[in-house]
Amino acid sequence: MASSSSSTSFLLSFFAVFFLSISWATSDSIQDNFYQCLSQNSDPSTPLSTAFYTPNNTSFTSLLQSSAQNLRCLMPSVPKPDLIFTPLLESHVQAAVICSKRLNIHLRVRSGGHDYEGLSYVSELESPFLVVDLGSFRSINVDIAGGTAWVDAGATVGEVYYRIAEKSKIHGFPAGLCTSLGIGGHITGGAYGSMMRKYGLGVDNVIDARIVDANGRIHDRDSMGEDLFWAIRGGGGASFGIILSWKIKLVPVPATVTVFTVTKTLEEGATKTLYKWQQIVDKLDDDLFIRVIIQVENAAKKGERTVTNSYNALFLGGIDRLLQIMATSFPELGLQTKDCVEMSWLESVLYIAGYPTSVTPEILLQGKSPFKNYFKAKSDFVREPIPETGLEGLWKRLLEEDMPLMIWTPYGGMMSRIGESETPFPHRNGTVFKIQYLSIWGDADKESPAKHVEWIRRVYNYMASYVSMFPREAYVNYRDLDLGMNKNGSGTNFVQASIWGAKYFKNNFNRLVRIKTKVDPDNFFRHEQSIPTLPVSRKRRGRKSHHG
């Protein structure tokens, strides 16, 4: 019996080592083949060895983690890429597409690492996979005379803001509030910020782009055509190609802007103040952006907690005019001169992003996020004010969680004057505000995120009757895999994808699918929530009707 047991143990050990060695050999051969293919398809004057990282490299893990925003997506149980490629030239990106296609290696693209579900550097569905990290693509060329700038995909939003302000104190760009966002992926989802009520989104202020398609060819707006140019401005990242750079339109900003943050607790009448904010926020002067940051903090009474509502604002003008507008439109907040600070637009970027006042704008050039957490997020769009009873039910649920966070972002202004189909981003006229839900946890809970994920799902379910319906809308840059996922491999299901596609894009989803089918019929650029291609039968019918 002992002999039989030892024989079994020996066989199990043998097969474990055997299959592990096959795995290593396979991984090594993938990396070797990819490197050889890149060398054959790239400019030989630029060595590739410094741009090629495998798990055997000592710097592999630090590079993988460098721009990843959600620590939940870096846990040991989450699949890691077989290699990371950091291209230095546009031709390297072209070669990466050609070689991954030729060798059948799944490809992911990362510009800033802010995908909420980590889809720019994680593939739960396909293996092997590689990450093309565009962190070396950071060139920013600002043309003040022409009112434009060309910005590379790997540059951060903060770097873009800094380089614009370096050339002019009265120019800016209406994009993200978080300064470490990679501009490449950020704009593909919409790109909202504190000037959205004045100038719309980042996508509304893009006038050209350079993109690598599924065949490894580079296109600008002229050669890609207006359909594809429409799709990449709000249709979500990594479905149509690899963005190399954007040409953005600069917008005028005053030499002096004003910011303020006023906080109300439940004991200070937060519920009634927030109910009033909902009634007026989309109707305020276009120069005024007031978002609400909702958190749970310790109450004045020891051992108790309360909900706080912080009204965090940017006004494109001086204090005097701001106080006049607030006295007329939102006196309930009780804004006073002492609450307001005048500063430059670039300084306001730091203020809204939550940096301490002691920090100088040069920190934006570091291109790194000071805020990394384990988190799960969701989003909603609200078209009617939530009644006070609804808010009270929400407070009760927030107090059940350790570190809940909600951010309510105001709409109206320019957002109401741009049509739903002008870009794939459809959340326009009729939206009063957007909700971002977050549950955040620390190292102590990193192995047991389930209770936090379940909490945010319960809150999301509670809010169903107070938010948009048919569809219940969601923001694609707040990626949420709870809404649904594509199947493994290239065989994505159009009907399944329509469920989350309608939430992100409403009626624009069908046009996105048609464009995807035309420009990437083999579905090379894919991930868990990429735009699918049309079913084969529908493709055939489309061709017949075209010729008929």
Side-chain angles (χ1 to χ4, degrees), residues 6-19:
S6 61
S7 298
T8 303
S9 177
F10 170 77
L11 286 171
L12 287 173
S13 299
F14 172 78
F15 282 117
V17 172
F18 177 71
F19 285 119

Side-chain angles (χ1 to χ4, degrees), residues 482-526:
D482 287 351
L483 303 180
M485 289 194 293
N486 289 321
K487 290 180 178 179
N488 185 18
S490 57
T492 54
N493 185 304
F494 169 75
V495 176
Q496 272 187 326
S498 299
I499 297 170
W500 51 259
K503 293 175 182 292
Y504 288 144
F505 308 113
K506 297 177 74 171
N507 292 332
N508 294 329
F509 178 68
N510 287 334
R511 184 180 175 191
L512 287 169
V513 172
R514 291 195 300 271
I515 296 168
K516 168 73 171 181
T517 305
K518 179 182 176 183
V519 302
D520 184 14
D522 297 325
N523 200 22
F524 173 75
F525 291 109
R526 61 184 183 272

Side-chain angles (χ1 to χ4, degrees), residues 42 54 61 134 182 213 323 331 333 369 391 409 434 439 441 445 448 476 502:
S42 298
T54 73
T61 300
L134 298 175
D213 71 10
L323 290 174
L333 189 62
S369 171
L391 296 177
T409 300
K434 175 180 62 188
S439 176
W441 58 94
D445 280 347
S448 54
V476 69

Side-chain angles (χ1 to χ4, degrees), residues 28 39 57 75 145 165 181 271 274 287 300-301 343 347 377 392 429 438 441 454 457 462 523:
D28 286 345
S39 301
N57 292 115
M75 292 294 292
L181 291 159
T271 305
L274 188 60
D287 289 333
K301 190 173 180 180
M343 57 181 61
E347 289 170 331
E392 288 163 358
N429 189 33
L438 290 145
W441 58 94
E454 285 304 315
R457 287 171 178 165
Y462 167 75
N523 200 22

Side-chain angles (χ1 to χ4, degrees), residues 186-246:
H186 178 50
I187 288 180
T188 62
Y192 80 91
S194 54
M195 295 198 291
M196 60 187 282
R197 302 190 67 255
K198 179 74 171 180
Y199 296 116
L201 307 174
V203 293
D204 302 321
N205 294 276
V206 166
I207 52 180
D208 205 342
R210 288 175 62 79
I211 184 173
V212 177
D213 71 10
N215 295 309
R217 294 187 297 249
I218 294 177
H219 297 280
D220 62 8
R221 180 173 182 172
D222 284 343
S223 64
M224 78 175 78
E226 288 303 301
D227 270 353
L228 182 54
F229 186 64
W230 176 86
I232 61 176
R233 291 175 298 133
S239 283
F240 302 96
I242 300 178
I243 301 294
L244 296 172
S245 56
W246 298 104

